[in-house]
Amino acid sequence: MTGNGPESGPPSTPSSSTSSSSPFSPSSTVGTPSNDPPAVAAETGWKHTVAGSLGFLRRRLTGDYEIDEFGYDPDFNEHVVLPPLRLLYEKWFRVQALSIENVPATGGVLLVANHSGTVAVDALMAALAVHDHHPAHRPLRMLGADLIFDTPVLGPLARRAGNTLACTEDAERLLNSGEAVSVFPEGFKGVGKPFSQRYKLQRFGRGGFVSAAIRTGVPIVPCAIVGAEEIYPMIANLKPLARALGLPYFPVTPTFPLLGPLGAIPLPSKWLIEFGEPIPTDHLPDGAAEDPMVVFNLADRVRETIQQALYRLLLRRGHPFLG
């Protein structure tokens, strides 16, 4: 999801809940090595997939699933949203998640990441990394811009996947309830920057994400993502058309709009996602969240940590497509 950080905006509207007699367990979907012969393992995987799909349909028909106050539907997310993303993650982008153990296994935590790529695929890959590859298989609750939730189809889908508005109220409610929350402070400035400025962080706004972390006393985990800049290299921005459509930018890439719908296929760049060491905030004095100097210095520290990590990961990756 794209997001400008929890700066401002109305709190989200609570959604109705449906009770469930079988709590969702994210870890149940993460595969483990099998000692069975290949044919047996393949058959077991096929049967497991069919059984999972039938179970999902049954729960949809009987109402045996939960939706939280933000509209998050874990069952829907697991069986509808995540499977196609795994294909991109594992086969297309060949993502490597580094130092993911730096994300705390429990309690509130705020992940702060760079944002790029013309389309915000980086947020989805980061969320999948934490869900599938963290030992605790934590769902990542992403904060997104108003435009996402105002868009038909995409808005309700984003809600069901666990995302909510990039506003202080929603961020603090999630952090206080012990959730892992992600924010992308560059917002559209990062996603819509030209390819010539790749891997150069844009301004981090007013530091609203830092204030939210300080007020809730949760650690901040800097997250550096390499690979997203190359999937849709933006060589031009048709600003008049963007204004006419009410969009923050209208990209021109080597394949879009020249190739029409085929231009929507992302290029298969090699990705690295690194989770930095947590930066604690619970030691700060009362009122620190309202101190502009404290907020600015911490925001600048997070930004510089991510920027240095990007430089290091670019050297480690080498060729953007061969890795």
Side-chain angles (χ1 to χ4, degrees), residues 108-109 175-176 210-220 279-283:
V109 57
L175 292 171
N176 278 323
V210 170
S211 299
I214 295 175
R215 271 192 288 269
T216 55
V218 304
I220 298 173
I279 300 173
T281 65
D282 55 358
H283 66 288

Side-chain angles (χ1 to χ4, degrees), residues 187-206:
F188 290 124
K189 299 188 302 292
V191 184
K193 67 177 180 287
F195 189 64
S196 60
Q197 297 180 22
R198 59 193 179 278
Y199 299 114
K200 296 178 181 178
L201 291 183
Q202 305 298 298
R203 193 173 67 88
F204 264 23
R206 300 189 300 273

Side-chain angles (χ1 to χ4, degrees), residues 177-191:
S177 63
E179 297 284 355
V181 179
S182 66
V183 64
F184 301 82
E186 293 174 280
F188 290 124
K189 299 188 302 292
V191 184

Side-chain angles (χ1 to χ4, degrees), residues 147 151 188 239-250:
L147 177 63
T151 303
F188 290 124
K239 294 182 179 180
L241 184 55
R243 285 193 295 268
L245 296 174
L247 300 174
Y249 55 87
F250 190 92

Side-chain angles (χ1 to χ4, degrees), residues 1-9 110 112 115 143-146 164-168 171 182-189 204-210 212:
M1 311 303 299
T2 59
N4 296 316
E7 304 292 345
S8 61
L110 184 65
V112 181
H115 215 15
L143 303 178
D146 293 2
T164 190
L165 293 172
C167 65
T168 302
S182 66
V183 64
F184 301 82
E186 293 174 280
F188 290 124
K189 299 188 302 292
F204 264 23
R206 300 189 300 273
F209 70 93
V210 170

Side-chain angles (χ1 to χ4, degrees), residues 24 64 81 99 102 108 115 120 126 146 150 189 191 211 297 306 309 317:
F24 168 68
D64 186 19
V81 178
S99 303
N102 281 329
H115 215 15
D146 293 2
D150 291 339
K189 299 188 302 292
V191 184
S211 299
N297 288 336
I306 296 173
R317 181 186 65 166

Side-chain angles (χ1 to χ4, degrees), residues 62-263:
T62 61
D64 186 19
Y65 58 92
E66 290 184 345
I67 299 177
D68 76 4
E69 61 179 321
F70 293 93
Y72 176 39
D73 183 342
D75 194 35
F76 181 88
N77 187 51
E78 180 60 43
H79 290 90
V80 177
V81 178
L82 295 183
L85 295 181
R86 286 193 182 101
L87 293 176
L88 284 176
Y89 185 101
E90 297 169 3
K91 306 299 183 183
W92 197 248
F93 298 138
R94 298 147 291 144
V95 182
Q96 284 182 262
L98 309 173
S99 303
I100 200 167
E101 67 277 2
N102 281 329
V103 179
T106 59
V109 57
L110 184 65
L111 274 72
V112 181
N114 59 302
H115 215 15
S116 62
T118 305
V119 177
V121 180
D122 53 359
L124 301 175
M125 295 298 103
L128 188 62
V130 175
H131 179 280
D132 280 11
H133 299 283
H134 190 275
H137 308 298
R138 302 192 66 175
L140 191 59
R141 310 295 293 271
M142 295 182 286
L143 303 178
D146 293 2
L147 177 63
I148 300 296
F149 302 99
D150 291 339
T151 303
V153 181
L154 180 59
L157 183 63
R159 286 283 186 191
R160 285 185 174 272
N163 311 304
T164 190
L165 293 172
C167 65
T168 302
E169 292 84 355
D170 281 8
E172 292 184 12
R173 286 164 63 198
L174 286 168
L175 292 171
N176 278 323
S177 63
E179 297 284 355
V181 179
S182 66
V183 64
F184 301 82
E186 293 174 280
F188 290 124
K189 299 188 302 292
V191 184
K193 67 177 180 287
F195 189 64
S196 60
Q197 297 180 22
R198 59 193 179 278
Y199 299 114
K200 296 178 181 178
L201 291 183
Q202 305 298 298
R203 193 173 67 88
F204 264 23
R206 300 189 300 273
F209 70 93
V210 170
S211 299
I214 295 175
R215 271 192 288 269
T216 55
V218 304
I220 298 173
V221 173
C223 179
I225 304 173
V226 161
E229 297 276 18
E230 292 88 10
I231 62 172
Y232 299 111
M234 192 165 85
I235 56 179
N237 177 14
L238 302 181
K239 294 182 179 180
L241 184 55
R243 285 193 295 268
L245 296 174
L247 300 174
Y249 55 87
F250 190 92
V252 176
T253 75
T255 59
F256 181 84
L258 180 63
L259 299 183
L262 290 177

